[in-house]
Amino acid sequence: MSLCALDALAIQAAEAEAEGDLSEEEVAARNFRTIQSILTQGSTQGSCAMTPSCDCCDGSGEDCCCSAGVLTALSQGNLSRQVSLVAGPLVLNEVTLLGRVGNVLILANPEDDRIYFVCANSVQFIA
């Protein structure tokens, strides 16, 4: 099933156990940073034109993705990589944009150890 058949997917990091001198919280934070790093390296930033599958093309040959406006807004002038958005029933406030794969945004919230995969076509509000 395509993610864009859904609005978003949230993945909660597993609870960690203390390791050596590290507390449960420190291990959880370390694990989450590792996940963020892996996802950041595996995703891309850039225009929708780099996306091989734009399934809502109008035939004009120009930025044919429905999500082009969202992707452009996120890639231009967002040096902090912090974003707040609404996609379907999901409301995210000040999450970190790790990157994207096609028109799927990859976001992280270290406050609750969650990774979010959000279909850019489903984004209704962005700040």
Side-chain angles (χ1 to χ4, degrees):
M1 169 185 283
S2 166
L3 175 62
C4 285
L6 307 170
D7 291 320
L9 174 70
I11 298 173
Q12 176 74 44
E15 289 188 29
E17 295 183 15
E19 293 179 12
D21 292 340
L22 299 177
S23 69
E24 291 176 4
E25 293 81 20
E26 292 169 327
V27 172
R30 181 198 63 198
N31 292 346
F32 193 76
R33 284 191 307 272
T34 301
I35 292 168
Q36 281 185 286
S37 176
I38 291 168
L39 289 173
T40 301
Q41 292 171 16
S43 60
T44 60
Q45 289 289 358
S47 73
C48 187
M50 295 171 52
T51 307
S53 59
C54 293
D55 59 356
C56 47
C57 191
D58 63 6
S60 68
E62 298 179 17
D63 251 353
C64 66
C65 288
C66 297
S67 59
V70 170
L71 298 173
T72 300
L74 290 173
S75 65
Q76 294 177 351
N78 189 356
L79 297 178
S80 71
R81 303 184 57 82
Q82 296 297 120
V83 63
S84 297
L85 59 82
V86 174
L90 179 68
V91 178
L92 298 176
N93 188 35
E94 294 187 15
V95 293
T96 302
L97 174 66
L98 301 179
R100 70 177 176 97
V101 176
N103 63 345
V104 176
L105 306 173
I106 303 170
L107 305 150
N109 186 351
E111 298 299 317
D112 59 10
D113 292 336
R114 287 191 182 156
I115 300 291
Y116 298 92
F117 297 90
V118 177
C119 181
N121 295 347
S122 297
V123 173
Q124 300 153 343
F125 175 80
I126 190 167

